[in-house]
């Protein structure tokens, strides 16, 4: 019974936030049409092949090429090795959880993303923590090479990776 009350409270809070931070007239009219059962058009899913995704992908390719990222990671002696391998471990953990959730559960087992939190409640927080720790460790390890550009380079490369995954999935 307490779980049901928590769910109702959670939905009320979400509704209050969405009403406050979004265009109320548009959301209220769409919500009321769908709630009353009339034929309202649900929000269309955005295609992963939009211009901004191609821009992120192109920018990531340019950054990878002009920063010599591959050569720096393999050959540069300025990289702090222990920080790099720790960051690589955390990013690998993050990628493993993402592969498990996205490919194994969604595509293979046909479990929707809404059910992930019910079946594996710790997966998303662990993946998030691993990603944050991985980015911090990789930034520390690569800082001697690029300095203040390191977080920018990592962000652009990460967004390029996200776009590739979105286009494949």
């Amino acid at each position: 019974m307490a779980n049901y009350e928590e769910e109702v409270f959670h939905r009320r809070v979400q509704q209050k936030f969405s009403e406050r931070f979004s265009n109320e007239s548009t959301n209220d009219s769409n919500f009321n049409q769908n709630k009353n059962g009339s034929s309202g058009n649900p929000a269309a899913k955005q295609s992963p092949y939009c211009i901004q995704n191609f821009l992120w992908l192109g920018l990531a390719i340019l950054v990878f090429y002009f920063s010599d990222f591959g050569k720096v990671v393999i050959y540069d002696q300025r990289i702090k090795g222990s920080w790099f391998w720790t960051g690589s471990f955390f990013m690998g953990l993050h990628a493993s959880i993402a592969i498990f959730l996205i490919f194994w559960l969604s595509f293979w087992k046909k479990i929707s993303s809404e059910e992930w939190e019910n079946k594996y409640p710790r997966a998303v927080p662990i993946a998030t923590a691993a990603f944050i720790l991985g980015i911090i460790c990789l930034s520390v390890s690569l800082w001697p090479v690029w300095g203040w550009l390191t977080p920018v380079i990592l962000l652009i490369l990460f967004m390029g990776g996200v776009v590739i995954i979105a286009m494949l999935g």
Side-chain angles (χ1 to χ4, degrees), residues 3-151:
N3 197 10
Y4 174 74
E5 292 172 358
E6 290 175 8
E7 181 71 24
V8 170
F9 177 75
H10 184 63
R11 287 185 183 171
R12 285 183 186 165
V13 170
Q14 286 179 336
Q15 184 178 9
K16 295 271 186 192
F17 275 115
S18 68
E19 288 173 356
R20 178 154 185 160
F21 294 113
S22 65
N23 187 357
E24 291 181 9
S25 62
T26 304
N27 288 340
D28 288 343
S29 64
N30 288 341
F31 179 72
N32 289 335
Q33 285 178 353
N34 292 336
K35 184 177 174 183
N36 295 335
S38 61
S39 60
N41 292 337
K45 185 178 177 184
Q46 185 179 1
S47 172
Y49 302 105
C50 61
I51 187 72
Q52 59 194 131
N53 283 355
F54 284 114
L55 289 175
W56 275 116
L57 186 60
L59 187 61
I61 291 169
L62 287 173
V63 165
F64 187 84
Y65 178 75
F66 285 113
S67 68
D68 288 330
F69 189 83
K71 291 178 184 175
V72 167
V73 168
I74 295 172
Y75 299 115
D76 202 322
Q77 299 296 319
R78 294 175 288 177
I79 292 177
K80 297 178 182 177
S82 59
W83 284 99
F84 179 78
W85 291 112
T86 305
S88 297
F89 168 77
F90 282 124
M91 293 304 280
L93 178 63
H94 170 76
S96 299
I97 294 172
I99 289 169
F100 171 75
L101 292 175
I102 295 167
F103 293 107
W104 180 255
L105 290 183
S106 293
F107 295 134
W108 191 260
K109 294 286 189 173
K110 305 293 184 200
I111 296 174
S112 70
S113 59
E114 289 83 26
E115 297 176 31
W116 292 351
E117 289 186 35
N118 294 335
K119 292 190 178 254
Y120 302 98
R122 292 190 177 138
V124 174
I126 290 172
T128 304
F131 176 75
I132 291 169
L133 289 171
I135 287 294
I136 290 170
C137 291
L138 287 175
S139 294
V140 169
S141 74
L142 296 171
W143 192 272
V145 179
W146 293 299
W148 62 272
L149 285 175
T150 303

